[in-house]
Amino acid sequence: MARFAPELVGEELVALTRRLGDPAQDLVILAEGNTSERVGDDTIVVKTSGSSMKDAAADHFVAVEVSPLLELLRDPSSSQDALTAALSAGERNGRPVRASIETLIHVAVRAFEPARYVAHTHPTAVVSLLASTRAEDAFTEAVYSDELVVLGRSLFVPYAQPGIDLGRVFLERLGAHVEEFGEVPSLILLGNHGIVATSGSAEGAEAISLMAVKSARVRLGAIQAGGVAGLDAASTAHYFDRADFRERRAALAGADG
């Protein structure tokens, strides 16, 4: 299901991956994190396991087909070993090449929306909240207007072991969110793990990732100052109905509304 196809990897994806992997951003270290781009009706290219985002190049990605991996994900008899085999793209220069263990996150998003870009990172500030007793409701309420513009309605997914376990929980929670709100969220928060940004543009995926970090820092600062005073539902009820809100959100986050 996975194959080495550097000719399918675009310059925008490589540049996005490198920007998100910049140590100054504190989004990932070492081989953490992964990105993907939709390059066909049923094909995405996704970062390989063990490669560094900051040093990304076209040959650090492999192509995978979405439908077979979704079938594997939805089959209750599928095992982690079956997933590992499906993500293998053979060997290159005497070393095995395999799509990221978190590829199923990227696949699950495309089950509901043909998002062009998906970026998964582990920002220290956000993970601090997602590893806390406040994790599940930490981002339930927005804390300032621009956060809501860029991030929209976020989704929290509880911790599951990376691989097929996380893929199944992620797919279930994402499906419930889409059923309730009619859209894939721009920001998905993974308990004790990290974040997933979905966007129609590389710039949007980066903006969502960076805004999530700022939003986490604001919350951590507010907690130190005595507690978080979020914007309640009544204050933000009509944001998503406003044309100017939708236009700004599309410009900044690459979202439709």
Side-chain angles (χ1 to χ4, degrees):
M1 294 182 193
R3 68 186 190 279
F4 187 70
E7 71 278 4
L8 296 179
V9 181
E11 293 181 3
E12 279 191 281
L13 176 62
V14 173
L16 169 66
T17 306
R18 285 175 168 261
R19 291 197 302 271
L20 295 179
D22 182 348
Q25 304 285 20
D26 193 25
L27 297 170
V28 294
I29 63 170
L30 304 175
E32 286 184 340
N34 34 80
T35 54
S36 70
E37 181 181 3
R38 178 175 174 266
V39 295
D41 288 344
D42 198 47
T43 305
I44 62 173
V45 287
V46 63
K47 189 180 80 73
T48 55
S49 178
S51 60
S52 167
M53 289 180 69
K54 72 180 178 65
D55 299 319
D59 59 359
H60 293 164
F61 293 82
V62 294
V64 299
E65 306 307 313
V66 172
S67 294
L69 286 172
L70 276 175
E71 185 177 343
L72 182 150
L73 181 56
R74 289 167 170 155
D75 183 351
S77 67
S78 295
S79 65
Q80 182 61 42
D81 287 342
L83 173 62
T84 299
L87 298 181
S88 176
E91 291 190 359
R92 184 162 178 81
N93 300 323
R95 300 184 63 180
V97 177
R98 185 177 298 117
S100 168
I101 190 64
E102 292 158 337
T103 294
L104 290 183
I105 289 174
H106 300 261
V107 165
V109 169
R110 274 67 179 224
F112 299 100
E113 178 181 271
R116 183 173 176 186
Y117 292 97
V118 174
H120 169 50
T121 57
H122 304 168
T124 302
V126 186
V127 176
S128 295
L129 285 171
L130 297 179
S132 76
T133 57
R134 304 166 186 255
E136 187 166 0
D137 61 1
F139 284 76
T140 300
E141 290 183 337
V143 293
Y144 59 101
S145 297
D146 271 7
E147 173 191 39
L148 195 59
V149 170
V150 176
L151 302 184
R153 303 179 186 93
S154 62
L155 166 66
F156 175 80
V157 176
Y159 180 81
Q161 190 173 104
I164 200 160
D165 290 347
L166 175 57
R168 286 172 172 154
V169 174
F170 187 94
L171 184 70
E172 177 187 354
R173 294 299 180 104
L174 183 56
H177 182 98
V178 171
E179 184 175 350
E180 181 176 0
F181 298 110
E183 64 178 6
V184 168
S186 295
L187 176 67
I188 304 165
L189 304 148
L190 307 178
N192 294 85
H193 188 153
I195 66 173
V196 178
T198 71
S199 180
S201 69
E203 294 81 6
E206 182 178 15
I208 293 160
S209 301
L210 296 180
M211 184 63 81
V213 173
K214 177 175 180 179
S215 296
R217 289 174 177 162
V218 169
R219 285 166 171 79
L220 292 169
I223 290 169
Q224 291 178 332
V228 177
L231 300 174
D232 60 31
S235 301
T236 61
H238 300 295
Y239 267 50
F240 294 90
D241 299 327
R242 289 173 44 173
D244 62 330
F245 177 94
R246 293 195 300 271
E247 290 170 3
R248 191 154 187 258
R249 181 158 158 67
L252 293 175
D256 294 331

